């Protein structure tokens, strides 16, 4: 794992392209919170209400359009990126970095798994969103015999199903509506349990990690990336609560706590790979994209209030990364043989 060189390359990107916002004051936390409908997004402590809030965050026409343009470069891939050797000024840079992160995670998972089973790899994407990761991996890897996408949002699932058909992958990709905290699968079913930027919304991390263990075969691999709670000096509970209020975060764990939670439910060889420098670049590119859309007069008619709200929030997110509010990276583990 190239943690040291990777961080160096990310810093070099920031210096080369002057990706800083030091002169941009963060918005007042209370002002940001006021923009949020607490009836939808508030931290309720109720699982059903929490899941409805997650749907509201992603599965509306306005949000699908926003994420497609700002994170997906007009594609269905709405994940944060891994920015090694990506020219951030090239067309489609964000989408390329997102796909590179998907590839990195799957390559790491298969290295940990070892030789693919003779019948091929069975893979499940927990919180699969638009299915972009699973579809890309099936296109690239004939070793994947069957990919299953489990996701809560109906509109995203319809898009994933349609794209699978368009790509001729319907016989290898199955899209299932449901939650990763109550997986509708038999035990010991998958060689690889995978999740990209989805577990931040888990109502209970330990329940989620336990379900992933249950459905993974003996000797199988678990890998996920996500935003996690940082431990920067001076980070307040109020600041973390503001993030939770806008992002449906109920169980906010640090990397160390995520590793411990995985170990407590039975995962072995649990490790965290710190890629926080990359989330900073992702936030910066998202902010630049939002500003570009607004400066161009919003030609695709994305919800204007949504764009303005994210412009303020993203500026704050970058400063929060610098202050240690967030971590981002990969947790990987194995199931005992």
């Amino acid at each position: 794992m190239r943690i040291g060189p990777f961080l160096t390359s990310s810093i070099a990107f920031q210096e080369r392209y002057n990706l800083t916002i030091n002169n941009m004051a963060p918005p007042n936390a209370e002002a940001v919170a006021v923009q949020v409908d607490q009836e939808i997004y508030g931290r309720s402590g109720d699982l059903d209400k929490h899941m409805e809030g997650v749907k509201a965050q992603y599965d509306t026409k306005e949000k699908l359009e926003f994420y497609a343009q700002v994170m997906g470069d007009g594609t269905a891939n709405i994940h944060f990126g891994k920015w090694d050797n990506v020219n951030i000024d090239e067309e489609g840079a964000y989408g390329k970095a997102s796909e590179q992160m998907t590839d990195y995670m799957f390559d790491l998972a298969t290295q940990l798994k070892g030789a693919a089973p003779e019948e091929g790899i069975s893979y499940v994407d927990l919180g699969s969103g638009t299915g972009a990761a699973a579809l890309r991996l099936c296109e690239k890897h004939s070793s994947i015999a069957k990919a299953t996408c489990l996701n809560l949002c109906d509109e995203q699932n319809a898009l994933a199903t349609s794209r699978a058909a368009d790509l001729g992958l319907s016989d290898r990709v199955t899209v299932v509506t449901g939650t990763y905290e109550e997986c509708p699968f038999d035990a010991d079913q998958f060689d690889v349990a995978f999740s990209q930027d989805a577990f931040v919304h888990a109502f209970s991390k330990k329940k989620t990690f336990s379900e992933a263990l249950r459905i993974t075969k003996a000797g199988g691999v678990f890998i996920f990336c996500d935003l996690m709670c940082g431990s920067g000096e001076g980070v307040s509970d109020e600041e973390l609560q503001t993030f939770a209020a806008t992002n449906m975060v109920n169980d906010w764990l640090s990397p160390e706590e995520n590793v411990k939670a995985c170990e407590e439910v039975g995962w072995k060889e649990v490790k965290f790979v710190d890629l926080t420098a990359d989330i900073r670049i992702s936030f910066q590119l998202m902010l630049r994209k939002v500003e570009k859309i607004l400066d161009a007069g919003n030609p695709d008619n994305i919800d204007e209030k949504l764009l303005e709200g994210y412009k303020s929030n993203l500026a704050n997110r970058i400063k929060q990364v610098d202050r240690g509010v967030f971590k981002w990276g990969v947790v990987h583990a194995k199931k005992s043989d």
Side-chain angles (χ1 to χ4, degrees):
M1 297 168 200
R2 299 180 296 106
I3 299 175
F6 173 74
L7 291 175
T8 301
S9 68
S10 295
I11 292 168
F13 271 138
Q14 294 165 23
E15 292 175 347
R16 177 182 174 188
Y17 293 101
N18 194 28
L19 289 178
T20 60
I21 58 162
N22 293 332
N23 296 323
M24 190 177 298
N28 179 276
E30 292 182 3
V32 175
V34 166
Q35 300 171 14
V36 177
D37 184 346
Q38 293 297 321
E39 286 300 311
I40 297 174
Y41 295 105
R43 194 171 178 181
S44 67
D46 178 85
L47 176 59
D48 290 338
K49 189 171 182 179
H50 179 77
M51 289 193 293
E52 287 304 313
V54 174
K55 286 184 180 182
Q57 176 129 339
Y58 294 101
D59 216 31
T60 65
K61 178 177 181 291
E62 292 77 17
K63 289 297 182 74
L64 287 169
E65 288 177 350
F66 172 82
Y67 287 120
Q69 292 301 322
V70 174
M71 296 183 76
D73 282 320
T75 75
N77 194 326
I78 58 172
H79 300 296
F80 297 120
K82 192 172 190 298
W83 292 94
D84 293 8
N85 304 314
V86 177
N87 179 349
I88 64 173
D89 288 324
E90 70 178 284
E91 190 71 25
Y94 200 108
K96 183 176 180 179
S98 299
E99 291 178 339
Q100 184 163 267
M101 185 62 185
T102 300
D103 296 343
Y104 167 79
M105 290 175 63
F106 187 74
D107 289 347
L108 179 54
T110 53
Q111 289 169 23
L112 294 168
K113 178 72 178 71
E118 188 174 327
E119 67 275 15
I121 295 170
S122 54
Y123 154 102
V124 63
D125 189 328
L126 300 172
S128 54
T130 58
L135 294 170
R136 174 175 176 79
L137 293 174
C138 281
E139 281 191 289
K140 287 191 66 177
H141 301 281
S142 60
S143 60
I144 299 176
K146 192 70 176 176
T148 301
C149 296
L150 177 65
N151 190 56
L152 189 62
C153 298
D154 296 321
E155 294 297 328
Q156 288 184 330
N157 290 347
L159 179 60
T161 300
S162 175
R163 290 192 66 240
D166 292 343
L167 294 169
L169 294 172
S170 296
D171 59 334
R172 293 171 61 202
V173 177
T174 301
V175 180
V176 178
T177 301
T179 170
Y180 43 61
E181 298 189 64
E182 296 175 354
C183 296
F185 308 124
D186 293 334
D188 307 315
Q189 191 169 339
F190 301 101
D191 297 300
V192 175
F194 174 105
S195 185
Q196 192 168 355
D197 300 318
F199 286 165
V200 68
H201 302 304
F203 191 76
S204 165
K205 293 292 200 306
K206 285 185 73 171
K207 181 68 163 62
T208 297
F209 300 158
S210 180
E211 277 292 271
L213 182 72
R214 181 184 67 81
I215 64 175
T216 300
K217 297 177 183 178
V221 174
F222 178 39
I223 187 163
F224 70 91
C225 72
D226 224 324
L227 272 176
M228 303 177 198
C229 186
S231 54
E233 192 172 336
V235 177
S236 68
D237 289 341
E238 180 183 2
E239 191 167 19
L240 294 174
Q241 183 60 36
T242 298
F243 176 76
T246 57
N247 289 274
M248 297 311 303
V249 177
N250 188 72
D251 193 9
W252 194 216
L253 302 184
S254 68
E256 296 78 14
E257 289 168 335
N258 274 297
V259 168
K260 183 179 179 182
C262 286
E263 292 172 339
E264 287 178 347
V265 303
W267 287 105
K268 307 299 182 185
E269 303 176 37
V270 188
K271 305 292 182 185
F272 171 69
V273 183
D274 191 349
L275 302 177
T276 304
D278 279 75
I279 196 68
R280 190 180 196 280
I281 296 175
S282 291
F283 284 152
Q284 288 167 323
L285 267 290
M286 288 174 68
L287 176 60
R288 194 165 80 175
K289 194 68 173 283
V290 169
E291 291 174 332
K292 184 177 179 180
I293 291 170
L294 288 169
D295 290 345
N298 190 15
D300 293 318
N301 295 314
I302 301 172
D303 185 278
E304 199 86 14
K305 288 183 179 179
L306 192 63
L307 288 168
E308 292 290 352
Y310 269 89
K311 179 180 176 180
S312 296
N313 285 336
L314 286 165
N316 197 32
R317 294 286 174 265
I318 298 166
K319 286 186 173 290
Q320 287 176 319
V321 170
D322 292 340
R323 292 176 47 245
V325 176
F326 302 118
K327 288 285 189 178
W328 186 69
V330 169
V331 172
H332 58 77
K334 292 194 71 174
K335 185 172 180 176
S336 298
D337 291 324

